[in-house]
């Protein structure tokens, strides 16, 4: 048995949750946030039998989309009363960060 911890952007979480339910994979969702862009994330906790891990990962891969976003770098040395002097920078965001952990015991009360 494995515990799959998948962190996805909030905007991908609804579709991922629907796909997991459609494929009969039970998941617990937790609200979380990233430190880089301070964007909202959703962390999914999914218990899966060893032989189903690849199937779960395929669903996550399908709905953890990569995209780019423009951000304005904030640096106290580069700001003025007229705003940032540094132009917006395009950064990659999205995708999914996934951890697959062994589970010694699973107990459901």
């Amino acid at each position: 048995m494995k515990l799959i911890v998948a962190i996805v952007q909030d905007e991908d979480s609804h579709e991922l949750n629907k796909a997991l339910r459609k494929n009969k994979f039970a998941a617990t969702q937790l609200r979380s946030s990233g430190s880089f862009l301070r964007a909202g994330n959703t962390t999914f906790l999914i218990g899966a039998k060893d032989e189903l891990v690849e199937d779960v990962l395929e669903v996550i891969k399908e709905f953890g989309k990569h995209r780019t976003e423009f951000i304005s770098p904030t640096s106290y040395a580069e700001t003025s009363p007229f705003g940032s002097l540094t132009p917006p920078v395009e950064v990659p965001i999205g995708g999914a960060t996934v951890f697959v952990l062994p589970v010694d015991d699973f107990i459901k009360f």
Side-chain angles (χ1 to χ4, degrees):
M1 180 125 211
K2 301 286 191 244
L3 173 63
I4 301 168
V5 180
I7 304 162
V8 300
Q9 279 201 310
D10 278 345
E11 70 182 76
D12 297 328
S13 66
H14 181 69
E15 292 300 318
L16 176 56
N17 187 38
K18 283 187 352 187
L20 289 169
R21 284 185 295 155
K22 179 181 175 188
N23 287 283
K24 301 195 183 330
F25 299 127
T28 298
Q29 289 180 252
L30 305 171
R31 298 269 311 150
S32 54
S33 63
S35 61
F36 177 54
L37 297 175
R38 294 181 188 88
N41 296 323
T42 300
T43 299
F44 288 86
L45 303 177
I46 307 158
K49 294 181 180 179
D50 290 341
E51 60 271 13
L52 295 176
V53 169
E54 288 303 318
D55 296 334
V56 174
L57 293 177
E58 283 301 315
V59 172
I60 294 168
K61 184 192 287 187
E62 182 179 346
F63 290 95
K65 303 291 184 198
H66 285 280
R67 56 194 155 272
T68 59
E69 185 174 292
F70 285 93
I71 64 163
S72 295
T74 311
S75 169
Y76 292 110
E78 297 174 348
T79 58
S80 73
F82 306 106
S84 176
L85 298 175
T86 306
V89 176
E90 190 173 18
V91 295
I93 60 169
T97 301
V98 181
F99 301 91
V100 180
L101 309 166
V103 173
D104 292 333
D105 239 344
F106 172 75
I107 302 167
K108 187 172 183 178
F109 295 106

